Amino acid sequence: FFAVAAFSDPGTVDITEQETEEILRREYGEHVRVCSTCKTAKPLRSKHCPYPSCGRCINRMDHHCTWMNTCVGVGNHRAFIGTLIFSM
């Protein structure tokens, strides 16, 4: 579980700036949430990781785990919980 959690994609938000503006203005009008750091669309519950090892927006980010040196998000949350359960 540790290897899956540490090396899988945590749910990176991969949308370019131009796609962001087109999609969000069409769906939400002028109320657009854009990350001030990487200039991509920010879906609900997404955050930009402040650690230089990640430096990207993570969808449904929980936290940055320093033991695994990666973020825990929608893509690797179950594997992270499995790591915690089996390490007890």
Side-chain angles (χ1 to χ4, degrees):
F1 284 107
F2 179 80
V4 172
F7 297 113
S8 63
D9 181 33
T12 307
V13 177
D14 292 326
I15 301 175
T16 64
E17 186 175 353
Q18 185 176 9
E19 291 173 342
T20 297
E21 292 178 9
E22 291 174 8
I23 293 169
L24 292 178
R25 287 209 175 124
R26 183 176 41 207
E27 292 180 11
Y28 300 109
E30 294 298 319
H31 302 287
V32 177
R33 293 184 60 208
V34 177
C35 177
S36 61
T37 306
C38 62
K39 307 294 186 233
T40 59
K42 285 185 68 171
L44 295 175
R45 293 187 59 202
S46 67
K47 295 179 187 173
H48 189 87
C49 181
Y51 289 89
S53 61
C54 288
R56 57 191 179 196
C57 282
I58 307 297
N59 197 8
R60 289 192 350 195
M61 181 176 173
D62 186 29
H63 69 286
H64 181 89
C65 181
T66 55
W67 291 347
M68 297 187 308
N69 195 28
T70 189
C71 291
V72 177
V74 68
N76 60 356
H77 195 258
R78 288 185 184 186
F80 179 74
I81 297 297
T83 302
L84 293 179
I85 290 172
F86 286 110
S87 65
M88 292 181 166

